[in-house]
């Protein structure tokens, strides 16, 4: 009997607490891959080994432990390679599956809207350069849609990862790029009382749109607040809850260096100025444990997410949209064709153009009207869940592992990776020094 491939998945946050979108993607994909591989989560946050959903979680406390894990596993699935680990990964020869779902180089351009352009250009070049080094180390690249596939194929060409031999043996690039769209966790949220309505004192007749998790720099809460101003008099039963956005930053602390905190403070101020806070718009600062989010989803009537017309919006779908499908919440979203196809194309909600508060407000009314008059047709959610199931979407990655299991390791001296890591860290130190010199008083 052929041995199952051994897959290592690094995680950098607690798996039993609040989690980022990147953390939840690591967790869910790792658990799904456990159907096909022997998976280990290598956790820098865990203090003791434990099992989570049938997958072993091993703490990583030293480089020596990491080297042992790299040697004892054949495949590494990761969303990023930390510079300090690059040398050990190269020396081990482990086969690297690099998930490029989050376009970091694009995100940094939007994450610091008030940063001086010269500084932002520097960090942008730094992110592009290190992304290229990670691509050189990878054996296969994972993307979430065809736009990302085209982007990274172009980058691979520039980096000379593409060559005549590869094209002749793999003309479709199936062994270079694997498309794995946003996946929906298995099952459905479990009932958990009314954690959201009890916390906020909302009535059963209130129609709640849920905005889950933090407000990020590449989102647009302002258009949602303008839409709620339009709905204040005509539809006072429509409520919006921002869930898990974190404690408000003190005045003077949310600078141009922390765009997420700045966006959050602006949203709070705008809602308060409009007289909507704790009336039709509610903010829950507390970050909710990932395993407990289902109860808050089940206590909501619909979901909402708003995005501007930006590079991030054009290239990347937010993980929370898949979570909304998991919870079977009709979705009001603003965005471009990528968001429109995902939401309206699957019959799970409505999409308004970026910045259009009037259309967003009308879509929110429409969702409430349709849910209350006849209920949303759950067959659309059933079909979307099947289309985006973790089991089916991770199958191509599992098949790639099966095809490449047992092949010789691509061991390298690690000298180039060590040089690249040192260069990146020096660039990072120089950038931090430059930020300190330019930091606003």
């Amino acid at each position: 009997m052929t041995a199952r491939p051994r897959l290592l998945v690094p995680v950098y946050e607690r798996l039993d607490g609040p989690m980022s979108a990147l953390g939840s993607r690591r967790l869910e994909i790792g658990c799904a891959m456990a159907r096909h591989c022997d998976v280990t989560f290598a956790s820098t946050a865990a203090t003791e080994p434990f099992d989570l959903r049938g997958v072993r979680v091993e703490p990583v406390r030293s480089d020596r432990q990491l080297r042992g894990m790299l040697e004892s596993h054949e495949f590494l699935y990761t969303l990023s390679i930390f510079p300090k680990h690059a040398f050990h990964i190269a020396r081990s020869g482990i086969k690297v599956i690099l998930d490029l779902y989050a376009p970091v180089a694009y995100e940094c351009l939007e994450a610091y809207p008030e940063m001086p352009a010269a500084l932002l250009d520097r960090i942008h070049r730094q992110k592009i350069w290190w992304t290229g080094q990670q691509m050189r180390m990878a054996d296969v690249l994972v993307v979430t849609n065809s736009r990302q596939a085209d982007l990274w194929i172009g980058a691979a060409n520039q980096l000379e990862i593409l060559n005549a031999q590869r094209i002749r043996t793999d003309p479709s690039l199936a062994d270079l790029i694997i498309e794995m769209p946003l996946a929906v966790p298995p099952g459905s949220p479990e009932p958990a009382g009314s954690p959201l309505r009890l916390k906020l004192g909302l009535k059963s007749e209130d129609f709640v749109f849920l905005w889950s998790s933090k407000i990020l720099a590449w989102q647009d809460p302002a258009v949602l607040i303008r839409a709620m101003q339009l709905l204040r008099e005509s539809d006072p039963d429509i409520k919006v809850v921002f869930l898990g956005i974190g404690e408000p930053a003190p005045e003077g602390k949310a600078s141009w260096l922390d765009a997420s905190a700045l966006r959050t403070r602006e949203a709070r101020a705008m809602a308060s100025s409009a007289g909507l806070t704790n009336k039709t718009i509610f903010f829950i600062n507390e970050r909710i444990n990932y395993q407990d989010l289902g109860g808050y989803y089940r206590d909501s009537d619909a979901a909402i997410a708003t995005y501007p017309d930006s590079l991030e919006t054009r290239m990347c779908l937010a993980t929370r949209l898949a979570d909304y499908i998991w919870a079977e919440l009709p979705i009001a979203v603003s965005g471009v064709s990528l968001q429109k196809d995902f939401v309206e194309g699957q019959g799970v909600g409505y999409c308004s153009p970026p910045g259009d508060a009037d259309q967003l407000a009308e879509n929110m009314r429409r969702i409430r009207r349709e849910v209350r008059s006849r209920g949303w047709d759950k067959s659309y959610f059933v079909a979307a869940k099947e289309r985006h199931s973790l089991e089916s979407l991770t199958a191509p990655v599992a098949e790639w592992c099966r095809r490449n299991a047992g092949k010789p390791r691509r061991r390298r001296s690690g000298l180039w990776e060590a040089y690249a890591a040192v260069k990146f860290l020096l660039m990072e130190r120089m950038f931090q020094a430059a930020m300190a010199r330019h930091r606003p008083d």
Side-chain angles (χ1 to χ4, degrees):
M1 182 176 178
T2 304
R4 282 159 54 93
R6 299 206 67 199
L7 176 69
L8 188 66
V9 181
V11 291
Y12 305 102
E13 54 193 301
R14 288 180 54 186
L15 295 173
D16 57 349
M19 297 187 69
S20 67
L22 296 180
S24 63
R25 184 170 173 88
R26 291 183 181 100
L27 170 63
E28 295 296 348
I29 289 176
C31 289
M33 288 293 290
R35 292 174 175 267
H36 313 279
C37 306
D38 290 336
V39 177
T40 303
F41 288 121
S43 173
T44 59
T47 56
E48 297 293 337
F50 64 96
D51 288 340
L52 178 66
R53 288 160 53 177
V55 180
R56 189 65 171 169
V57 180
E58 291 285 349
V60 180
R61 302 188 187 92
S62 67
D63 284 353
R64 183 177 179 180
Q65 276 187 308
L66 176 64
R67 290 197 302 269
M69 289 183 183
L70 292 170
E71 288 291 345
S72 63
H73 291 76
E74 190 174 3
F75 298 95
L76 174 72
Y77 167 81
T78 183
L79 278 80
S80 62
I81 296 173
F82 283 10
K84 64 181 181 179
H85 298 154
F87 175 79
H88 301 312
I89 290 171
R91 289 291 299 274
S92 74
I94 195 169
K95 300 176 183 73
V96 177
I97 304 165
L98 180 63
D99 189 342
L100 293 169
Y101 129 90
V104 176
Y106 284 170
E107 290 179 352
C108 79
L109 290 174
E110 300 174 34
Y112 309 103
E114 299 181 6
M115 181 180 286
L119 275 182
L120 191 54
D121 284 341
R122 184 181 296 185
I123 190 174
H124 184 227
R125 288 194 299 270
Q126 176 186 348
K127 298 297 184 186
I128 290 175
W129 186 83
W130 183 248
T131 299
Q133 306 317 305
Q134 293 179 76
M135 290 176 67
R136 292 180 191 277
M137 294 181 65
D139 293 272
V140 68
L141 307 174
V142 172
V143 300
T144 61
N145 57 65
S146 58
R147 294 185 185 185
Q148 288 189 352
D150 291 341
L151 168 71
W152 296 119
I153 288 171
N157 191 49
Q158 288 293 105
L159 292 165
E160 300 181 0
I161 294 171
L162 293 185
N163 53 40
Q165 180 65 24
R166 182 184 288 274
I167 292 298
R168 288 174 179 174
T169 59
D170 182 25
S172 68
L173 299 181
D175 277 327
L176 175 65
I177 298 274
I178 297 176
E179 190 171 323
M180 184 170 64
L182 284 187
V184 176
S188 297
E190 294 294 330
S194 298
L196 186 146
R197 293 174 190 266
L198 287 175
K199 184 185 290 286
L200 299 174
L202 297 175
K203 303 173 184 176
S204 59
E205 58 265 29
D206 288 328
F207 194 89
V208 176
F209 283 85
L210 182 69
W211 173 300
S212 69
S213 195
K214 295 171 63 176
I215 298 174
L216 300 174
W218 42 87
Q219 295 170 325
D220 184 13
V223 71
L224 173 53
I225 295 170
R226 294 199 303 273
M228 291 300 289
Q229 289 179 277
L230 298 173
L231 296 169
R232 171 170 42 193
E233 299 299 332
S234 61
D235 304 89
D237 61 321
I238 292 180
K239 315 292 186 184
V240 166
V241 176
F242 289 87
L243 176 66
I245 63 173
E247 295 295 330
E251 283 293 328
K253 296 297 184 182
S255 73
W256 52 273
L257 298 176
D258 189 351
S260 179
L262 185 62
R263 287 279 181 270
T264 303
R265 194 172 68 185
E266 289 172 348
R268 289 179 184 276
M270 187 175 177
S272 177
S273 177
L276 302 178
T277 302
N278 295 331
K279 294 179 181 177
T280 59
I281 294 179
F282 300 83
F283 297 94
I284 296 178
N285 300 334
E286 174 192 0
R287 293 193 66 201
I288 309 301
N289 288 347
Y290 181 67
Q291 291 82 356
D292 298 331
L293 277 174
Y296 288 82
Y297 287 133
R298 287 292 295 263
D299 206 18
S300 306
D301 299 289
I304 195 153
T306 51
Y307 304 94
D309 188 354
S310 67
L311 287 172
E312 168 79 15
T313 305
R314 294 183 186 191
M315 298 300 300
C316 192
L317 281 169
T319 303
R320 72 183 63 194
L321 295 181
D323 292 342
Y324 295 157
I325 289 177
W326 171 65
E328 299 183 3
L329 292 175
I331 304 167
V333 66
S334 68
V336 295
S337 59
L338 193 64
Q339 288 73 31
K340 185 180 179 71
D341 291 345
F342 186 82
V343 173
E344 291 192 3
Q346 300 190 92
V348 297
Y350 299 108
C351 183
S352 56
D356 191 336
D358 292 281
Q359 186 60 56
L360 178 62
E362 181 53 39
N363 286 347
M364 294 170 74
R365 288 192 191 99
R366 186 177 179 184
I367 287 174
R368 181 198 57 183
R369 183 169 61 249
E370 292 187 18
V371 168
R372 285 188 168 167
S373 64
R374 56 182 175 80
W376 203 274
D377 188 343
K378 296 297 184 181
S379 67
Y380 289 109
F381 286 102
V382 172
K385 284 183 175 184
E386 291 177 355
R387 195 177 297 117
H388 291 273
S389 74
L390 268 164
E391 182 176 358
S392 62
L393 294 183
T394 54
V397 180
E399 172 59 20
W400 184 89
C401 291
R402 188 196 63 77
R403 290 199 313 271
N404 289 276
K407 290 185 178 180
R409 289 183 173 237
R410 188 163 59 112
R411 295 183 186 272
R412 291 170 284 184
S413 68
L415 294 178
W416 167 255
E417 286 74 18
Y419 162 77
V422 170
K423 179 178 177 180
F424 177 85
L425 293 172
L426 287 174
M427 292 166 67
E428 179 74 11
R429 182 168 295 183
M430 291 170 63
F431 173 71
Q432 295 293 339
M435 285 201 299
R437 290 196 300 272
H438 291 83
R439 186 185 299 273
D441 294 330

